[in-house]
Amino acid sequence: MSFVSRSGRGLPLLTAAVLGLLAGDAFAARISRLTPPSELFASGEESPVIARFLPGQRFDLQMTIEPDPGRTIVSFDFIVDDQSTLRPFWVDGELIHDPRATLTSTITETGPAATCIAASGRTTGASGCTLVAGLAGNATVISRRAYSNSRAGVHTLRAIARQDDGTTITATGNFEIVGIDAESGQVAKNIVIFLGDGMGAAHRTAARIVSRGYAQGKAKGLLAMDTFPNTGMVMTASLNSIVTDSAPGMQNYVTGNKANNNEEGVWPDDTRDAFDNPRYEYLSEYLHNLQGKSLGVVTTADVFDATPASMAIHTSARGNGTGIVDQFFDDRDQSGLAVLLGGGRKWFLPNPSDSTSPQPVNGSQRRKSNDYVLGDDIVNGWGVARGALDPERDLIAEFRDAGFRYAADKSGLDAAFNAGTPDKLLGLFSYSNMNVAYDKIAGRRGDTAVVDAFGFPDQPMLDEMTDAALKVLSKNPNGFVALIEGASIDKQAHLMDTDRWTLEVIELDRAIAVAKRFAERNPDTLVLVTADHECSGAAIIGAATVSAATLEADPDAGKGVVGIYEAARFPKYTMAEDGYPETTHVDGKMLIGYGANADRYETWLPSRFPTRDTQQPFPPSQSPANPSVRNEGAGYLVTGQVPGDQAAHTATDIPLSAYGRGAHHFNGVFDNTDVFFKIGQIAVGGAD
């Protein structure tokens, strides 16, 4: 039998065509996707743009093969530096890789008749697998799960598959293992990442103007984040766009690799299952397995949301809420999850009927349609839970049974510490996203209309949640990784609600002050403050040239009151004892314009109720449906530049500020994936 090699990407297209003609086929077989993604595979170029990993960090290898018509794949291998990843190999007496420790089977998925291929490379039948449209009918996806490599440097990855006629098909890519200098001084035991979702430089500046004030052209005080000694600028693109969404925007920081928009902890693949994509290890998983660190996730959003999920969850569909919160719990032994605080109770409450109509009276939105069940390859390769389609699951009860103390509101959060600091803590303070600081503070001051309408009048502030989380996490002598997110900077910037997002930044900064005090007491702590992206193209354009009363009397006159340059002068806000402005509706108030805006009617007046949050099971009827109708009939129309009825993310670089152990590593301009390797060096090798 003759053997003819067919090349996929990684060789010139002419070469592949010639090989196809030599074999007598009209369509040459090929490997159409090779993971990890690499420019070597995509274009044949040796490029410094490459997938990167820390030593020992686990990741999947995967290829999509489109065989010749009528042919099937009978064997395969992934070759790294001329060594099979399916057989153990040694270098100079040292065991470099032993796949028996991590691999029991590899799943191949094809059209209507799926094929499972065992690690031996021999095929066995299976069914129920579905590929995306557009592939050849006999296309095959082969995964080698949970591979790792500890040798620093660039490694060549060669994928090989053999058809039933003896033809071999190959493709070549590469990846890099980034070494850790183990002689670099003291390590950071604790890593705290503050993520102001959507927070660009203008958002930070606006919060400083409101909360600190200016005199003689100088700020009268600094935000807590302004006092951090090191600041750099971060490039935020995702794998498939210069404009990222929040899922890759966060996960790029804590995996070291780019993801597509909407995807968390995975690369894209050619299967329809949102939970079977090729994975790579998160910082939380890596440091938990290596050092025994705990994970804490604190957010003012629904805990299933893109940013919190992008600390531990592996899915290509950020909206799959049931499976996401289940994975938080099911794989807590992989991530070290010890604290989970935020909104999102709707995913934890049982829904025995799996019904969307009528709405379950308890607010549950658990559904089989966005839950998960994993195949043997992921379960055995990664050592994770299989999952189940179980909308009837009572996840709060399961967290409690696993030793988590549960808090349903601010009073419950306080009471959770009455009997001493718990070892683990779960807090779910609303059905979905928590109310924003503007409305929570109004409730604490006596105006409870908004928080009452949402049904959760006793919600904690982010600084209170942060203090509780740090107390729990610091019980682990091995340290922790914590994400603390100010989520609605982004959500209110999307809605172009300036008054609300400004207070969101102030709320985040008050939480940062809590963590800074913690780091001062615990100098082996690194604290980072950054964003996943900028939202809305916010710009401080000036200030109103008229009084608050005048704006209220004639909201249609808004366009003519924008004072620019010296006409803006210095807006003055009065801060209350609770740390927030007494009102944002002041004479000569600061005015914000938006560069990535949708249509809106602008009055420059605060909105009594927040604009509709579509994620809430029971949204208040008083909330305007969207910004395009919020002030309709009052104010002037500002024509938008983006489609839809909300502002959009931008591709602008965003600031990152650092404090504590290893903070000096975060200067200059760098990619968001670089942050992962800086943290890895500081946490494992130490900071010089």
Side-chain angles (χ1 to χ4, degrees):
M1 180 180 294
S2 63
F3 295 90
V4 179
S5 176
R6 308 288 182 82
S7 172
R9 296 174 188 172
L11 287 178
L13 294 178
L14 178 62
T15 302
V18 171
L19 289 171
L21 291 173
L22 289 173
D25 296 330
F27 302 99
R30 65 173 186 153
I31 294 174
S32 57
R33 186 191 296 273
L34 180 61
T35 301
S38 66
E39 193 61 22
L40 179 62
F41 171 73
S43 67
E45 295 182 3
E46 292 279 1
S47 170
V49 179
I50 193 171
R52 297 179 296 164
F53 308 91
L54 287 173
Q57 183 185 0
R58 295 181 294 169
F59 58 97
D60 288 340
L61 310 176
Q62 190 178 86
M63 57 176 140
T64 298
I65 312 165
E66 298 188 62
D68 288 319
R71 296 299 181 187
T72 59
I73 301 302
V74 296
S75 65
F76 69 93
D77 204 348
F78 294 95
I79 307 294
V80 174
D81 299 336
D82 298 324
Q83 297 285 349
S84 169
T85 66
L86 302 181
R87 296 185 299 274
F89 63 88
W90 302 70
V91 175
D92 297 331
E94 177 186 0
L95 181 62
I96 300 301
H97 176 67
D98 187 353
R100 295 170 298 188
T102 57
L103 178 69
T104 58
S105 65
T106 304
I107 302 299
T108 301
E109 302 184 29
T110 62
T115 305
C116 292
I117 298 185
S120 63
R122 294 185 173 84
T123 60
T124 58
S127 62
C129 303
T130 308
L131 295 192
V132 298
L135 293 172
N138 60 344
T140 303
V141 174
I142 297 173
S143 303
R144 185 336 187 168
R145 301 291 185 179
Y147 172 79
S148 67
N149 193 309
S150 295
R151 178 159 292 189
V154 175
H155 300 270
T156 300
L157 170 64
R158 190 162 171 255
I160 300 176
R162 181 173 295 171
Q163 295 184 159
D164 54 0
D165 65 352
T167 301
T168 59
I169 310 163
T170 67
T172 301
N174 56 11
F175 61 86
E176 182 179 3
I177 304 299
V178 178
I180 292 177
D181 181 0
E183 305 295 333
S184 294
Q186 294 178 310
V187 300
K189 186 174 78 169
N190 309 311
I191 310 295
V192 184
I193 302 171
F194 280 92
L195 198 290
D197 202 306
M199 183 177 69
H203 300 86
R204 290 173 60 153
T205 306
R208 186 190 312 118
I209 290 171
V210 170
S211 65
R212 300 298 189 266
Y214 278 65
Q216 302 298 318
K218 295 182 179 180
K220 295 163 68 175
L222 297 175
L223 299 173
M225 67 182 87
D226 294 334
T227 67
F228 284 25
N230 298 88
T231 295
M233 295 297 291
V234 180
M235 298 175 280
T236 63
S238 68
L239 182 61
N240 64 339
S241 176
I242 58 171
V243 182
T244 188
D245 79 357
S246 293
M250 179 67 228
Q251 77 95 60
N252 294 354
Y253 284 120
V254 288
T255 67
N257 282 277
K258 297 286 187 177
N260 273 3
N261 285 354
N262 300 307
E263 300 190 352
E264 302 162 344
V266 298
W267 288 296
D269 72 358
D270 293 310
T271 73
R272 293 186 184 275
D273 189 336
F275 287 95
D276 76 345
N277 286 53
R279 299 179 166 206
Y280 36 88
E281 209 164 29
Y282 279 102
L283 180 71
S284 59
E285 297 168 318
Y286 182 76
L287 293 180
H288 177 67
N289 291 324
L290 186 67
Q291 298 177 333
K293 293 192 189 305
S294 297
L295 169 64
V297 175
V298 179
T299 179
T300 54
D302 188 317
V303 296
F304 101 100
D305 208 23
T307 300
S310 290
M311 285 295 288
I313 306 305
H314 301 273
T315 181
S316 63
R318 56 173 283 187
N320 283 355
T322 308
I324 287 169
V325 297
D326 283 5
Q327 201 174 98
F328 264 128
F329 179 78
D330 294 343
D331 291 343
R332 64 195 184 280
D333 290 339
Q334 292 287 325
S335 66
L337 183 69
V339 173
L340 184 60
L341 301 177
R345 198 182 303 172
K346 66 184 183 183
W347 304 111
F348 292 72
L349 300 169
N351 179 18
S353 66
D354 188 29
S355 173
T356 57
S357 181
Q359 171 76 261
V361 294
N362 66 355
S364 175
Q365 291 197 355
R366 291 184 62 83
R367 303 285 182 267
K368 288 182 180 178
S369 59
N370 55 32
D371 209 344
Y372 78 97
V373 178
L374 301 180
D376 288 342
D377 59 325
I378 301 178
V379 172
N380 296 323
W382 284 90
V384 295
R386 186 174 300 279
L389 304 184
D390 49 3
E392 70 284 355
R393 187 179 193 181
D394 185 342
L395 200 55
I396 293 175
E398 292 193 38
F399 266 92
R400 280 173 158 160
D401 290 343
F404 284 77
R405 205 167 292 174
Y406 174 62
D409 51 25
K410 168 63 165 60
S411 300
L413 184 63
D414 294 339
F417 291 81
N418 287 345
T421 301
D423 295 327
K424 299 175 183 178
L425 182 63
L426 171 69
L428 301 170
F429 306 114
S430 63
Y431 279 131
S432 185
N433 302 310
M434 296 174 64
N435 285 123
V436 298
Y438 185 97
D439 299 315
K440 288 186 291 186
I441 286 297
R444 293 189 178 195
R445 293 173 178 174
D447 181 0
T448 63
V450 172
V451 292
D452 285 346
F454 276 86
F456 296 91
D458 184 25
Q459 298 176 46
M461 306 302 292
L462 186 58
D463 58 332
E464 296 162 346
M465 298 160 67
T466 299
D467 182 62
L470 294 178
K471 287 177 180 175
V472 174
L473 293 169
S474 60
K475 292 185 71 175
N476 184 348
N478 298 316
F480 59 84
V481 175
L483 165 73
I484 302 170
E485 182 197 19
S488 287
I489 302 168
D490 176 75
K491 298 181 190 302
Q492 296 303 313
H494 274 297
L495 300 172
M496 296 168 286
D497 191 328
T498 300
D499 300 87
R500 283 182 167 82
W501 67 245
T502 303
L503 264 67
E504 287 298 287
V505 182
I506 295 172
E507 182 184 31
L508 175 69
D509 195 62
R510 289 175 59 81
I512 292 167
V514 171
K516 183 182 178 184
R517 291 192 293 270
F518 176 88
E520 289 169 346
R521 299 190 304 270
N522 300 273
D524 52 359
T525 300
L526 170 66
V527 184
L528 303 178
V529 177
T530 189
D532 43 359
H533 51 75
E534 196 278 343
C535 182
S536 77
I540 303 169
I541 57 177
T545 57
V546 298
S547 67
T550 300
L551 277 178
E552 284 191 74
D554 188 10
D556 292 329
K559 188 174 184 179
V561 304
V562 180
I564 59 175
Y565 299 111
E566 63 275 5
R569 298 181 292 180
F570 294 99
K572 291 181 171 58
Y573 296 81
T574 301
M575 300 299 289
E577 290 185 1
D578 56 24
Y580 296 87
E582 291 181 353
T583 178
T584 58
H585 187 44
V586 299
D587 296 345
K589 73 179 294 184
M590 176 182 64
L591 302 182
I592 303 294
Y594 298 95
N597 60 311
D599 291 353
R600 74 184 191 281
Y601 289 90
E602 187 58 78
T603 65
W604 309 116
L605 300 173
S607 299
R608 178 78 172 96
F609 267 77
T611 305
R612 183 71 55 89
D613 179 354
T614 58
Q615 295 186 38
Q616 298 291 346
F618 308 110
S621 59
Q622 303 97 317
S623 291
N626 57 64
S628 68
V629 301
R630 182 168 55 212
N631 295 312
E632 195 169 14
Y636 68 97
L637 176 65
V638 180
T639 303
Q641 303 174 83
V642 300
D645 53 32
Q646 295 191 7
H649 298 173
T650 72
T652 305
D653 291 356
I654 51 89
L656 181 150
S657 299
Y659 179 86
R661 182 70 52 81
H664 61 279
H665 285 264
F666 297 93
N667 292 323
V669 179
F670 42 87
D671 190 70
N672 51 15
T673 57
D674 293 332
V675 173
F676 176 79
F677 298 98
K678 294 175 187 289
I679 294 174
Q681 172 60 51
I682 297 164
V684 179
D688 52 18

